[in-house]
Amino acid sequence: MPADKVWWRDGVLYQIYPRSFSDSNGDGIGDLRGIIERLDHLGWLGIDGLWINPVMPSPNMDWGYDVSDYKAVDPELGTLEDVDELVAEAGQRDIRILFDLVPNHTSDQHPWFRDAIGSRTARYRDLYVWADPKEGGPPNNWLSVFGGESAWELDEASGQYYLHNFLRHQPDLNWWNDQVREEFDDILRFWFDRGVAGFRIDVAHAMIKDRELRDNLPVDDETDERARRIGQQPIYNMNRPEAHEVIQRWRALSDRFDPPRILVGETFVLDLGKMIAFYGERNDELNLAFNFPFVFASLDGGALRKVVDETESLLLPESWPVWTGSNHDVGRLGTRWCEGAEDRTRCALMMLLTLRGTPFLYYGDEIGMVEPELTKDQLRDPVGLRFWPEPRGRDGCRTPMQWTPEKGAGFTTPEATPWLPIGDAGACNVADQRHEARSVLHLTRALIMLRASSPDLQTGSYEPLETPQGVWAWRRGERVTVALNLSSQEVTLEDLSGEVALSTNRDRDGDRIGDRVSVGPWEGLVIQT
Ligand code: NOJ
């Protein structure tokens, strides 16, 4: 790695849903040893860092996002020794490991909550958010994100309610309490001391609640679609300004490590100004903040370009954008943006890997994996089950990685029953695509290699160009231009010259362009002068 390369800024990051990546012991569940066994694939692809969804012990009411011990590994996924080996083996390949931190809530099986429930004077009582009933019912009108029901659950023994912004099995921590802050400092240090390079912070915007527990306001014309679905504006049960103090505290702690550890936030706010505030006014909060307005924009030049241009104009010079099209909650880009069409998927990958900012690929994006249709009895996600059949739950984007065309897809043994059904591995898998020079997999790798060899693509400026409708084109730095035709009509672009460094369908790699170029429907070109 060149000495001045900053891995999380200049490199490409990759998200792994550990239960679904690779199963090393044939129990149908992916695990840490499985990830270790697949590091060669990730090294070959050119990945610089992995974000691994929660691996801590969990009763799995919300698949790892209900943690019952923050300093251990869930036995289904491995051991602390496996973590050490993963960090070391990944390090050998210049790959860093980011873990997932869930600070907003614990599991209701966490020893703190087991102690806290039942008595108002319990030792750990104040680590959670408790309130007296109001008029015989919940303390206020806050609704849970998972289901449009009250976010309060009555603890009959003590006569008070506890808050759960998500499932009732996920009691919210009280971040006004100093002990909570100290415990989490300790948790961060525990993993950083083991060589973990940073954290993705779950619902980073949600940690602090209004001290006075004021009622949320009803939806109005400005309210976004997601809040509308829940039925109120989440302004007091989350999205409080004091969350920034907690993040600043962690950033200071992370910066004290050598090398500094990094913080990536799940900043699930749909207002770009508010999202960008999480980098900190003095760039002293998150290193990277996920951009959900981008994730939810449709794959057309207009909508995506609008978000990118606005993000670029609002970001402070030292802050660095993040681009992603898939994750374990929102779905896979091959399905949600591209409706399974491979030419579109190729354009989406070219976009993510050539914009100015850090791309996060989600396992399977590199082969254009799509979400299989699941029946209700196959679902494991509490949200999918709650809202069946619409909106679609999250299991479709959490199905096992498709490594080979055989039964078990190389994810698990042919005899094992995978924890979630496997998609169409015959049609889409790593092994077949490795043998096909023009596959989506080879395009993804070529884009990553091109980026790694081009300072313009890593850190060069982003400058959008005037183009006909349907096309989105931008210049990166001094010598690179990217042109994406996100429409079904061929278009001609003027005033472009140079050599095609990469084309989405690979037919035009190496072509010389003199002044004008036609770009086919759903075709993308990276042109270098
Ligand atoms: C966001 C996580 O990504 C999601 O999977 C989880 O259900 C919620 N936070 C609650 O932790």
Side-chain angles (χ1 to χ4, degrees):
M1 182 172 72
D4 56 348
K5 180 172 169 181
V6 179
W7 67 275
W8 55 268
R9 185 195 63 188
D10 307 338
V12 174
L13 306 188
Y14 184 101
Q15 179 192 349
I16 290 181
Y17 197 71
R19 295 181 73 83
S20 293
F21 194 60
S22 193
D23 168 19
S24 72
N25 59 358
D27 63 358
I29 300 170
D31 44 47
L32 290 173
R33 300 214 67 77
I35 301 176
I36 296 171
E37 288 168 6
R38 300 294 183 178
L39 285 171
D40 284 340
H41 167 74
L42 299 165
W44 173 83
L45 196 57
I47 298 301
D48 298 273
L50 305 178
W51 153 33
I52 303 178
N53 290 97
V55 297
M56 295 143 191
S58 166
N60 286 328
M61 301 309 290
D62 188 21
W63 301 108
Y65 285 98
D66 46 326
V67 176
S68 55
D69 181 353
Y70 286 89
K71 294 184 185 165
V73 174
D74 193 291
E76 276 185 340
L77 303 178
T79 62
L80 280 173
E81 290 66 41
D82 293 336
V83 172
D84 295 342
E85 192 173 330
L86 174 63
V87 168
E89 286 289 324
Q92 297 281 320
R93 295 161 178 83
D94 256 343
I95 298 175
R96 314 295 192 289
I97 305 292
L98 300 173
F99 270 4
D100 207 316
L101 185 72
V102 189
N104 179 69
H105 45 265
T106 69
S107 158
D108 61 356
Q109 300 307 309
H110 193 290
W112 297 337
F113 192 71
R114 295 319 313 150
D115 170 83
I117 197 162
S119 157
R120 293 184 186 216
T121 55
R123 176 155 173 232
Y124 290 100
R125 181 78 169 183
D126 193 49
L127 266 54
Y128 295 87
V129 183
W130 297 94
D132 290 330
K134 193 167 142 203
E135 292 153 17
N140 65 22
N141 75 349
W142 296 355
L143 296 175
S144 146
V145 177
F146 285 173
E149 283 154 6
S150 174
W152 295 95
E153 182 77 10
L154 181 64
D155 166 29
E156 292 200 359
S158 68
Q160 282 192 311
Y161 283 81
Y162 69 85
L163 178 69
H164 60 91
N165 267 314
F166 296 91
L167 300 175
R168 73 185 159 78
H169 312 282
Q170 295 168 298
D172 279 47
L173 284 162
N174 172 16
W175 276 90
W176 293 106
N177 180 308
D178 277 339
Q179 193 188 340
V180 170
R181 297 182 187 217
E182 279 152 26
E183 294 281 2
F184 272 81
D185 287 354
D186 212 42
I187 292 163
L188 261 75
R189 281 194 219 100
F190 175 85
W191 293 105
F192 291 166
D193 283 341
R194 291 198 104 90
V196 167
F199 278 108
R200 173 267 190 187
I201 300 162
D202 192 55
V203 290
H205 56 290
M207 278 177 285
I208 306 253
K209 331 295 165 202
D210 180 46
R211 247 186 165 149
E212 296 164 42
L213 306 179
R214 278 171 284 186
D215 274 352
N216 278 333
L217 299 182
V219 294
D220 63 20
D221 292 349
E222 310 278 286
T223 309
D224 64 67
E225 182 214 329
R226 266 143 219 282
R228 226 165 248 286
R229 211 182 287 154
I230 295 167
Q232 57 185 209
Q233 299 181 49
I235 50 173
Y236 290 119
N237 60 332
M238 51 182 76
N239 295 311
R240 304 308 303 155
E242 294 87 356
H244 293 277
E245 288 165 20
V246 178
I247 299 173
Q248 280 161 11
R249 173 184 178 118
W250 290 343
R251 174 64 180 268
L253 186 156
S254 309
D255 278 350
R256 283 199 289 275
F257 276 77
D258 182 23
R261 308 306 199 242
I262 70 147
L263 302 176
V264 185
E266 189 208 13
T267 38
F268 204 120
V269 286
L270 299 182
D271 175 299
L272 280 175
K274 290 192 180 136
M275 185 278 280
I276 279 162
F278 281 96
Y279 287 91
E281 278 167 24
R282 287 174 301 283
N283 208 32
D284 55 355
E285 296 187 29
L286 298 174
N287 300 84
L288 297 172
F290 278 112
N291 190 323
F292 283 93
F294 177 84
V295 172
F296 293 126
S298 54
L299 185 66
D300 68 70
L304 284 164
R305 176 179 163 178
K306 188 164 173 287
V307 178
V308 171
D309 291 3
E310 202 179 324
T311 304
E312 286 278 358
S313 73
L314 291 172
L315 272 177
L316 294 175
E318 315 79 51
S319 303
W320 193 246
V322 180
W323 309 116
T324 186
S326 314
N327 74 26
H328 65 292
D329 293 326
V330 300
R332 290 191 171 277
L333 65 84
T335 300
R336 29 174 243 104
W337 269 346
C338 308
E339 293 160 18
E342 190 180 305
D343 51 358
R344 296 183 188 205
T345 298
R346 287 170 181 261
C347 287
L349 288 164
M350 181 171 277
M351 168 184 72
L352 290 175
L353 292 161
T354 57
L355 281 170
R356 190 187 82 104
T358 302
F360 268 85
L361 298 179
Y362 184 52
Y363 78 99
D365 277 354
E366 72 270 42
I367 52 171
M369 242 170 90
V370 291
E371 299 172 33
E373 288 292 334
L374 300 177
T375 53
K376 189 175 184 192
D377 58 310
Q378 292 174 320
L379 301 189
R380 312 294 298 267
D381 169 26
V383 180
L385 285 162
R386 166 75 177 76
F387 290 105
W388 175 268
E390 284 297 336
R392 297 161 63 93
R394 304 175 295 181
D395 290 302
C397 60
R398 298 175 176 182
T399 60
M401 180 67 173
Q402 296 164 193
W403 296 101
T404 69
E406 284 94 45
K407 189 159 186 284
F411 160 73
T412 187
T413 59
E415 302 77 41
T417 307
W419 83 286
L420 270 179
I422 299 176
D424 188 355
C428 176
N429 66 75
V430 174
D432 288 348
Q433 292 199 19
R434 279 269 315 231
H435 290 118
E436 244 182 84
R438 288 169 175 240
S439 63
V440 175
L441 177 61
H442 278 281
L443 171 68
T444 307
R445 179 167 187 255
L447 284 163
I448 295 174
M449 296 297 145
L450 181 64
R451 185 186 164 97
S453 66
S454 160
D456 277 346
L457 279 176
Q458 286 171 22
T459 50
S461 56
Y462 161 87
E463 190 196 324
L465 304 177
E466 284 308 315
T467 54
Q469 228 195 339
V471 177
W472 180 19
W474 60 90
R475 204 172 318 279
R476 290 294 316 279
E478 303 292 315
R479 296 179 44 224
V480 177
T481 303
V482 181
L484 294 179
N485 182 357
L486 303 176
S487 82
S488 312
Q489 272 85 47
E490 178 168 307
V491 288
T492 301
L493 303 180
E494 310 285 342
D495 300 325
L496 267 186
S497 56
E499 185 179 314
V500 176
L502 269 179
S503 54
T504 46
N505 58 27
R506 310 305 298 273
D507 284 343
R508 300 172 69 178
D509 295 8
D511 283 6
R512 289 222 58 89
I513 292 168
D515 214 34
R516 66 205 315 255
V517 58
S518 65
V519 191
W522 294 102
E523 185 182 32
L525 303 175
V526 183
I527 301 162
Q528 262 178 345
T529 54

